[in-house]
Each structure stands twice: as structure tokens, then as C-alpha cells.
Amino acid sequence: MSYNNSEDYFESSEFKATLKKFEEAERRGQEIILDSEEFVDIAEYYYNHGKVNAAIEIINRAIDLYPGAAAPLLFKARMALLDYNDINKANLYADLINDKNDLEYFYLKAEIMINEGKIEEADNYLENKYEEIDDDEKDYFAIDTTALYIDYNIIGKANKWIKKSEAVDTVEYKEQYARIMMENGDYKKSQELFNELIDNNPYSTQYWNSLASSQFLCNNIEEAIQSCEFALAINPENATALLNKANGLYNLGNYKEALKYYTRYCEQCPNDENGETLIGFCNMLLEDYLNAIKHFQIAERLSAQNSPMLTDIYKDWAFALCRLGRIDESMTVLDKAQNIGCDQNELLVYRGSLLIGSGRFYESKKYFLKAIKDSDYSPNIVMKTAIVIYESGNINVAYKMFQMLYKKYPNWTKGYAYYAAICYSLNKEDEFLKNLKKAVIFSPEESKIVLGKLFPEDMETNYYYQYMLNKLGKS
């Protein structure tokens, strides 16, 4: 939960000894007295493993034992911010901290401002505190502030603060600088730094997982999986490594193996709706729709009412029902999505796509027309509807829709790959070439997916147009 805590600490012999002592006392019904930070470490461990109620009980006990101590109040304040978006309660807990000169107190006050959208105010506050603190604290204050900004994806500020620190040879500096490089897209440099950190501490699951994340981002999937395997060799129950390896296997299309690792991840994090959703999706790709539905139902139960995951959960759940021929039930599930504030017009298009895929063309038409009308002929909605109709096999209708789209919105740059594919199917060579040229300029990745089968497998998209000119004798 804390931006300063290392997951390696929870795997250390020091922490494991404290946890064992605490859990043995709990089993025996004995009172145990730890210092406030030890209570917080155990609470954070439980929180990270989905045992939220147990974590809160431990924190409340620490607050009772150590009123005004920073660590447990910081925990409660950050829970208020991250879990409930409750600024007032976060400020209340912050105000209860006795030592208003604690550096963690400064970070918390800044974090509250960031959550209020007052980023410049937070930065000015931190600048003022930086000037006030002792010189021997400045380097690490700058590094911790960098970590805070990275956690909130405010990379410009993180870049500024890391430069304030002269502790460039320290582990803490390299950790945050590697994260900045990864966020800036300099994956080579971030991997160099993570490898350097690993050389100094080869038993750090955190570093192996961070290296894997950087490798994923530059699409070195097999290397990323190998890094996850090193982390799992250190700790077979490491949740981050289990999830990362599952994602890697999923990206390689190995859904059966991915499912095993998603399942192991959920055993470690049983209250994470994301894990259950991914299990459901893997089952769906393996055409085990009944199991997929079971896990989507679990994911729904685990999700908060305002969870951004819910729309996708309901859509995938509805799709699975549709594949089982239970189309009316799928429409009922989509009613749930309709009630949680998602894009209503996109949901109408999705309803239509399920109906048309089930052979109920006339019913689907009603939803498509309503989506287009209600969106005031939004180019995005028209395009998405045309794509669904094309994929259902109604090529002539899709062709007319794309014609209308680009006539009405000549500056719209999306969807040309599909328009080109339609023109190719209809043997409209000149129109196909015209749209192919635009497709590879505006959306090369989509062009590879939609049109790739028309070209040699290893051909880059920027060669598509000239290749097709030659093939069709138009050059």
C-alpha cells in the first residue's frame, strides 16, 4: 500500500518472524504488544493479500495502543484516499498525527492535495518542506517524493525531483530512476538498472518483477516470463510474479497454462476481481463458457459498485451466455451494465453485436439505429456499428455505412483498415488501394490485424501499399 514499502520486506526472515509471533499469539488468544510500525507492516501484508477486515482490525488496535503515532494513522489515511476517495477522512487522520515534522506526514499531506487535483499546490508544499528540512535528509526526501509522483503517474514532477538527489549510487535512487526510465519508454535503460540492482541482490522478487514489467512493455514476452520464473523460484507464492507470468502466457496465446497461473494468483489474492475476471476470460477463450460465467459472477461479487472493471465483466459474461445460446439472459446481464454509468451508445452497439451474432438481425438493427441516433451520428459509433456489421458478414451494408461515415466526417482517420478489407472483398481495387494507403498511415497496428492475411507474414505494414500496387499491376 505504501509507496515506500518493498515487497521484498514481506519475504524477509525479519518480517516472517514477526508475523509468525503475531499469528501464534492470535491463535492462542493471547495479547501481543508490537511497536506501531510492526503492527502496520502486518496490516499491510494482510491488506495486500485481500484480508482487508483483518488489516483494519490490526490498525485500529495499533491506534488504540499508540494514539497519535504516525504509521497507523498514515495507513488509515491512505486507505481513505485509495479505497474510498474520502479526502475529508484522510485529512482527519492526518490531523491526528502528533509529529507534524515527520517526513511521512509531509508526503501524506501532498498526496491528499494530489487526490484533490491540486498538483501544483502539492509540489509547492513539498518544495517548501524540502527547504526546511536538514541537509542530510534532502537526498532521500527527493527520492521519496519521486516515488510518490511515479505512483500517481506524474512523471514530469518525478523527473524534476529525482534530479534534486545526489545519492545516485544508492539502491533507493536507482530503484526510482529505473521506474522513471520505464515510464519514459526508455526500456533499455530501465532494464540495465534493474539488472544492476539484481546483480547486487539476486534474491529480490521485486527487482525481478520490475524487470519483467519493463520487458513486457517492450514486447519481450518470453524474456519477461523468464524473469517471472526467477521471482517464482525465490518465492513460488509471489502474487506479482504469478500475475505477470499468467499475462505473459496469455499474450503468447497459451491460455491453458495462463489459466493455471491466474488461478494460483487468485489463491494469493482471493479478493481481487481482476484475477477472477482474467480466469473467466481465459475459460471463455478455451470455450469453457460455463466456468467463464462462474468466475464472472465471482468477479462481480468482489467488485465495488463503482469499479471500472464491471462494464467489461458484464460484457464478457453476456458474451459467454450468448455462446451458450442463452441470448435473452445475456441481454439481462447487459441491463446491469446499463445501470452503472457506462457509455450507453457503445453498450447499444454491443447489444446489437450479440444479437446479430445469434442470427437475430432485425432485433440488432433496432439497437444499431438507436445508438447512431442517440449519439447524434457520432463517427465513433457509426464506425463501430459498421465494423460489427462487416464481421457478421453483411459486407454491402457495412460498405454503405463506411461510405457515409467518411463523406460526413472527411477528417475522421479511424477504421480505414476495415474499409479497405470491405473494398477488397467487393473487388473494388482502386478504392481498396486508396483506403489501404490511409490505413497504414493512420493505424498500422490495426492494419496488421485486419489486413495481414493479404500480405507475407513477416512484412512490415509500411510496405503493404507498394506490395499491393505491384500485385494488382497498378504500379
Side-chain angles (χ1 to χ4, degrees):
M1 188 180 194
S2 167
Y3 43 80
N4 290 321
N5 232 359
S6 161
E7 68 180 65
D8 290 333
Y9 175 68
F10 295 123
E11 295 173 4
S12 69
S13 55
E14 177 191 353
F15 173 74
K16 286 179 179 178
T18 304
L19 179 64
K20 183 179 179 182
K21 184 168 64 172
F22 173 82
E23 290 184 336
E24 284 179 354
E26 289 288 290
R27 276 195 296 273
R28 294 169 182 164
Q30 297 173 343
E31 187 65 33
I32 183 171
I33 303 298
L34 304 172
D35 68 38
S36 64
E37 293 191 359
E38 287 176 321
F39 275 124
V40 170
D41 289 340
I42 293 168
E44 186 168 339
Y45 175 82
Y46 283 164
Y47 179 92
N48 291 343
H49 283 77
K51 300 176 181 177
V52 177
N53 291 334
I56 292 171
E57 185 181 323
I58 293 166
I59 287 295
N60 289 339
R61 191 190 310 181
I63 291 172
D64 288 341
L65 285 169
Y66 303 100
L73 290 166
L74 285 162
F75 188 99
K76 289 293 286 275
R78 297 200 77 231
M79 269 197 77
L81 282 178
L82 300 177
D83 292 353
Y84 305 107
N85 194 30
D86 192 332
I87 303 292
N88 292 332
K89 190 165 280 188
N91 271 313
L92 175 65
Y93 289 126
D95 291 342
L96 292 173
I97 294 172
N98 286 337
D99 185 2
K100 300 294 195 293
N101 291 314
D102 190 314
L103 298 187
E104 295 288 344
Y105 173 79
F106 299 154
Y107 306 142
L108 174 60
K109 292 299 288 185
E111 188 171 6
I112 291 170
M113 293 177 207
I114 290 169
N115 276 273
E116 290 178 300
K118 300 174 181 177
I119 295 171
E120 290 304 323
E121 187 176 326
D123 202 52
N124 290 334
Y125 172 82
L126 290 166
E127 288 280 10
N128 290 334
K129 296 303 177 185
Y130 178 79
E131 294 301 323
E132 293 173 8
I133 62 177
D134 294 339
D135 286 344
D136 61 356
E137 294 181 312
K138 289 186 186 295
D139 282 334
Y140 287 95
F141 184 92
I143 293 169
D144 287 342
T145 300
T146 299
L148 169 61
Y149 279 129
I150 297 172
D151 277 359
Y152 281 91
N153 201 32
I154 308 171
I155 306 305
K157 299 292 186 190
N159 275 314
K160 181 189 84 168
W161 277 91
I162 198 71
K163 291 173 184 175
K164 289 178 179 286
S165 177
E166 295 178 358
V168 295
D169 293 324
T170 63
V171 166
E172 292 83 359
Y173 182 96
K174 289 176 182 177
E175 286 175 353
Q176 302 313 322
Y177 192 58
R179 292 177 71 198
I180 289 175
M181 290 298 99
M182 187 159 60
E183 293 296 333
N184 285 340
D186 191 344
Y187 304 121
K188 183 178 179 182
K189 181 63 177 176
S190 74
Q191 287 165 36
E192 284 176 7
L193 288 162
F194 285 129
N195 275 311
E196 191 177 325
L197 290 163
I198 286 167
D199 288 342
N200 291 325
N201 184 4
Y203 296 101
S204 167
T205 56
Q206 180 179 340
Y207 296 155
W208 282 113
N209 286 329
S210 296
L211 177 61
S213 295
S214 182
Q215 291 164 331
F216 273 128
L217 289 169
C218 61
N219 209 34
N220 292 333
I221 306 299
E222 291 181 355
E223 289 181 19
I225 290 174
Q226 189 176 46
S227 295
C228 295
E229 287 168 351
F230 279 112
L232 291 170
I234 298 164
N235 177 9
E237 297 179 350
N238 183 270
T240 304
L242 290 168
L243 182 60
N244 282 343
K245 184 170 181 181
N247 287 338
L249 292 164
Y250 172 88
N251 280 312
L252 292 177
N254 192 344
Y255 306 125
K256 192 172 286 188
E257 279 299 302
L259 185 58
K260 293 178 185 177
Y261 283 91
Y262 284 133
T263 301
R264 285 176 60 186
Y265 169 76
C266 284
E267 288 169 359
Q268 298 303 314
C269 302
N271 294 321
D272 182 7
E273 74 269 24
N274 184 50
E276 290 292 341
T277 303
L278 290 165
I279 288 176
F281 199 66
C282 268
N283 274 304
M284 198 157 66
L285 291 169
L286 293 167
E287 299 186 357
D288 186 352
Y289 300 112
L290 287 173
N291 256 325
I293 290 166
K294 182 180 84 172
H295 287 282
F296 291 139
Q297 288 170 330
I298 296 170
E300 179 195 29
R301 288 199 298 271
L302 293 175
S303 298
Q305 288 185 342
N306 60 347
S307 170
M309 293 283 298
L310 275 173
T311 298
D312 288 334
I313 290 169
Y314 289 138
K315 288 170 79 171
D316 290 337
W317 182 354
F319 182 86
L321 285 165
C322 202
R323 297 297 289 181
L324 290 170
R326 293 154 62 179
I327 185 66
D328 292 332
E329 287 179 65
S330 77
M331 292 295 108
T332 301
V333 168
L334 288 182
D335 289 341
K336 297 183 179 187
Q338 190 172 324
N339 295 327
I340 59 172
C342 65
D343 187 305
Q344 297 300 307
N345 295 314
E346 290 199 2
L347 190 60
L348 287 167
V349 174
Y350 192 72
R351 282 184 187 272
S353 72
L354 295 186
L355 287 163
I356 203 171
S358 299
R360 290 159 69 163
F361 178 77
Y362 291 105
E363 286 178 73
S364 70
K365 184 178 177 182
K366 175 181 70 174
Y367 289 108
F368 292 143
L369 291 174
K370 180 172 173 55
I372 292 169
K373 184 179 177 183
D374 287 357
S375 70
D376 196 22
Y377 291 83
S378 155
N380 189 51
I381 293 298
V382 173
M383 179 192 72
K384 288 188 173 185
T385 303
I387 290 170
V388 169
I389 290 173
Y390 159 67
E391 290 178 337
S392 75
N394 292 280
I395 297 174
N396 286 308
V397 175
Y399 174 71
K400 289 176 183 176
M401 290 191 70
F402 272 112
Q403 276 190 315
M404 178 189 77
L405 170 65
Y406 295 114
K407 185 176 181 180
K408 185 174 177 64
Y409 298 102
N411 296 322
W412 184 252
T413 59
K414 298 178 182 178
Y416 275 109
Y418 287 95
Y419 194 14
I422 290 167
C423 293
Y424 184 85
S425 297
L426 295 174
N427 295 316
K428 297 178 182 290
E429 289 184 357
D430 291 340
E431 206 171 344
F432 163 65
L433 288 168
K434 176 184 172 184
N435 291 309
L436 172 63
K437 190 173 187 178
K438 291 180 179 179
V440 296
I441 292 170
F442 295 126
S443 49
E445 290 183 9
E446 185 177 76
S447 298
K448 188 79 171 177
I449 295 167
V450 178
L451 300 167
K453 63 184 178 183
L454 303 178
F455 301 90
E457 188 175 346
D458 58 350
M459 180 175 283
E460 297 292 331
T461 55
N462 54 314
Y463 295 114
Y464 277 12
Y465 181 69
Q466 188 60 49
Y467 173 88
M468 198 55 72
L469 277 177
N470 296 337
K471 184 177 179 179
L472 297 176
K474 301 283 186 177
S475 56

